[in-house]
């Protein structure tokens, strides 16, 4: 990780026509894929990299940042001073622990008075907004049920705007922007919703430009699992990990991938529809109209149906938490737990065989099942994927609630700040 930070701060920004994974090598470059960076953009890129390093490392002194980046302290100070002047970072008092003589190092960290970011989670039945500080504290949460998603679009949009407004009214400083995690397909280029199952009224709606007009702020939209990944990357269990995957389970299934320091997005934000990858040719009919999708065997709909068939109590509200409790005293519940864990593991094993991210952060329903569910899933993944050197698979629990998605929605705005001027 430190090497990665060092390479990226000290090295030249990615040059035209080459990638971080190695340009040259006899590959003929016929055109420039990326514009050369202007000096002002290089400045903002370096500032972004310093912020990224702080998220990875926690509070860190200028001297330590310079050492890790392999540059001199003057270079780091030049970058850092702009961030201090912009009230994004502050230099805190030196820690008395670990002083080894000389001038004590003052750790840099995010200023409590820095402008926050508005994070929004838009699901088919509810909108949840909050304000997030740059060091990942959530406050001013507002949550409102949405009108019928099959009805007209105006009342839904008014409700979303009311929820965002409710959160923004509780912050003194104007936020840097609004990030929205959408429980459906989005066009990240245009900031529009492509489609949300259960809320077809929103299909095709240009939400980013609408909210941008209302609140006078930049607005970023992305797919819910990608927001979870950004939340993990900036503020959670993905900090400092060079590659990992996020898998969300619950009423629906989705995922996102982080490779080589980048969140992967298909064209215009496509991809991540893991729930609709196929696990059984001609299997059960899926809500998407196709057959045999992973969604048909590893979501709450399947679990509740099978719980009913097995005659388990609480079948209608069954989830991984209830199932794991029941499995301690009921053989049928224990068998269902194992089948459900295997069904979840099948999709993860496919992802591992395709891209081998090795680290998986699970979110949503399965997290409610605690260690028992996680160990059952991990056991099946290891059975399904052949062992190989360097292929240790780690599966950890993220968040069962909305926190990671809200942080990630805010992180979408932060990611933009890292690429463009602050
Ligand atoms: Zn499907």
């Amino acid at each position: 990780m430190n090497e990665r930070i060092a390479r990226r701060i000290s090295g030249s920004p990615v040059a035209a026509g080459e990638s971080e994974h190695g340009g040259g090598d006899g590959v003929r470059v016929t055109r420039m894929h990326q514009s050369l960076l202007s000096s002002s953009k290089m400045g903002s890129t370096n500032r972004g990299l310093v912020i990224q390093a702080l998220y990875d490392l926690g509070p860190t002194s200028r001297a330590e940042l310079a050492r890790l980046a392999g540059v001199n302290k003057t270079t780091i100070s030049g970058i850092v001073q702009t961030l201090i002047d912009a009230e994004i970072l502050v230099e805190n008092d030196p820690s008395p622990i670990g002083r080894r003589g000389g001038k004590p190092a003052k750790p840099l960290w995010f200023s409590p008075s820095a402008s926050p970011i508005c994070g929004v989670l838009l699901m088919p039945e509810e909108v949840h907004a909050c304000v997030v500080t740059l060091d990942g504290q959530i406050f001013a949460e507002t949550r409102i049920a949405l009108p019928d998603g099959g009805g007209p679009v105006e009342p839904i949009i008014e409700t979303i705007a009311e929820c965002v407004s409710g959160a923004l009214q509780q912050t003194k400083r104007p936020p840097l922007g609004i990030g929205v995690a959408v429980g459906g397909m989005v066009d990240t280029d245009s900031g529009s919703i492509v489609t949300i199952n259960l809320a077809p009224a929103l299909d095709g709606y240009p939400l980013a430009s609408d909210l941008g007009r209302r609140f006078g702020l930049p607005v970023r939209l992305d797919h819910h699992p990608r927001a979870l990944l950004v939340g993990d990357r900036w503020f959670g269990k993905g900090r400092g990990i060079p590659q990992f995957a996020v898998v969300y389970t619950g009423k629906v299934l989705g995922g996102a991938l982080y490779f080589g320091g980048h969140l992967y997005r298909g064209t215009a934000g496509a991809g991540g529809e893991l729930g609709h990858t196929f696990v059984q040719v001609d299997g059960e009919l899926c809500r998407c109209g196709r057959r045999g999708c992973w969604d048909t065997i590893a979501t709450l709909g399947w679990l509740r149906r099978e719980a009913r068939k097995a005659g388990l109590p609480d079948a209608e509200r069954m989830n991984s938490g209830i199932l794991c409790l029941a499995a301690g005293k009921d053989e049928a519940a224990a068998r269902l737990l194992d089948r459900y864990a295997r069904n979840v593991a099948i999709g993860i094993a496919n992802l591992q065989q395709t891209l081998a991210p090795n680290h998986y952060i699970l979110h949503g329903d399965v997290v409610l099942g605690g260690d028992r569910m996680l160990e059952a899933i991990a056991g099946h993944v290891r059975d399904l994927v052949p062992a190989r050197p360097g292929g240790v698979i780690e599966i950890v629990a993220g968040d069962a609630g909305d926190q990671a998605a809200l942080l990630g929605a805010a992180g979408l705005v932060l990611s933009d700040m890292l690429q463009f001027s602050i």
Side-chain angles (χ1 to χ4, degrees):
M1 175 193 70
N2 294 346
E3 275 174 23
R4 183 165 57 88
I5 295 165
R7 180 166 57 81
R8 297 187 69 198
I9 297 182
S10 63
S12 309
V14 177
E18 74 176 26
S19 77
E20 286 192 302
H21 306 294
D25 296 338
V27 178
R28 196 167 146 225
V29 177
T30 52
R31 60 185 284 270
M32 291 189 174
H33 298 297
Q34 203 174 348
S35 309
L36 291 167
L37 298 182
S38 66
S39 56
S40 66
K41 193 154 181 199
M42 237 164 76
S44 68
T45 303
N46 277 338
R47 288 194 291 273
L49 290 170
V50 164
I51 289 179
Q52 187 171 327
L54 287 173
Y55 279 120
D56 285 339
L57 302 166
T60 308
S61 68
R62 292 174 198 229
E64 185 68 358
L65 281 172
R67 192 183 67 76
L68 291 170
V71 297
N72 63 37
K73 211 175 145 200
T74 313
T75 305
I76 283 289
S77 287
I79 300 166
V80 161
Q81 196 55 49
T82 325
L83 294 163
I84 292 175
D85 293 345
E87 294 182 44
I88 288 171
L89 298 183
V90 281
E91 248 171 347
N92 289 316
D93 289 336
S95 159
I97 302 160
R99 280 191 203 176
R100 287 189 218 121
K103 205 170 148 192
K106 296 179 184 173
L108 288 156
W109 193 234
F110 295 92
S111 164
S113 57
S115 291
I117 303 169
C118 178
V120 182
L121 174 61
L122 174 62
M123 296 306 259
E125 290 155 359
E126 187 184 70
V127 57
H128 191 168
C130 71
V131 175
V132 179
T133 62
L134 289 193
D135 62 349
Q137 306 300 312
I138 288 179
F139 67 99
E141 283 187 69
T142 314
R143 191 193 282 256
I144 310 180
L146 289 177
D148 177 16
V153 70
E154 290 80 9
I156 301 177
I157 299 300
E158 290 306 322
T159 307
I160 295 169
E162 181 192 339
C163 188
V164 171
S165 173
L168 292 183
Q169 277 165 17
Q170 297 175 63
T171 173
K172 292 190 193 100
R173 293 197 67 152
L176 296 165
I178 301 171
V180 188
V182 180
M185 288 166 68
V186 294
D187 181 328
T188 51
D189 290 352
S190 66
S192 307
I193 290 166
V194 175
T195 184
I196 298 184
N197 276 332
L198 310 175
L202 287 168
D203 291 2
Y205 195 81
L207 187 63
S209 59
D210 185 318
L211 293 179
R213 211 167 34 244
R214 285 172 194 251
F215 297 102
L217 293 168
V219 180
R220 286 280 282 113
L221 242 62
D222 214 329
H223 189 207
H224 168 235
R226 281 198 287 261
L228 288 173
L229 188 144
V230 173
D232 285 336
R233 169 72 190 89
W234 292 120
F235 307 111
K237 291 191 174 160
R239 269 200 264 206
I241 299 180
Q243 61 182 41
F244 66 98
V246 157
V247 174
Y248 173 84
T249 75
K251 287 184 179 168
V252 294
L253 262 175
L257 289 157
Y258 185 78
F259 274 109
H262 295 284
L263 164 64
Y264 179 76
R265 281 189 189 89
T267 307
E273 298 291 337
L274 294 185
H276 303 287
T277 54
F278 305 114
V279 293
Q280 191 177 13
V281 174
D282 299 327
E284 253 184 80
L285 186 64
C286 180
R287 72 187 98 203
C288 72
R290 298 171 194 89
R291 284 188 178 276
C293 297
W294 188 24
D295 188 292
T296 62
I297 60 162
T299 50
L300 285 173
W302 180 91
L303 181 64
R304 289 171 184 173
R305 220 166 39 241
E306 294 300 313
R308 253 191 324 271
K309 279 192 211 163
L312 296 180
D314 284 330
E316 300 311 316
R317 57 183 202 98
M318 183 58 72
N319 62 31
S320 290
I322 297 171
L323 184 63
C324 284
L325 276 179
K329 44 191 188 275
D330 182 328
E331 190 53 35
R335 277 197 303 273
L336 181 58
L337 188 158
D338 190 60
R339 286 173 61 213
Y340 188 50
R342 185 167 184 272
N343 288 357
V344 172
I346 283 170
I348 295 175
N350 286 341
L351 199 54
Q352 178 64 20
Q353 294 282 49
T354 311
L355 293 160
N358 286 12
H359 290 270
Y360 293 85
I361 304 175
L362 306 189
H363 287 269
D365 172 65
V366 289
V367 176
L368 298 173
D371 287 346
R372 179 160 185 175
M373 177 57 83
L374 226 59
E375 280 160 20
I377 294 169
H380 281 297
V381 171
R382 289 182 195 118
D383 286 347
L384 291 162
V385 178
R388 52 161 296 151
V392 177
I393 299 166
E394 279 189 55
I395 297 182
V396 299
D399 168 21
D402 289 354
Q403 195 177 350
L406 290 170
L407 290 172
L412 295 171
V413 175
L414 203 56
S415 298
D416 266 5
M417 282 169 46
L418 299 187
Q419 289 163 37
F420 305 107
S421 60
I422 291 168

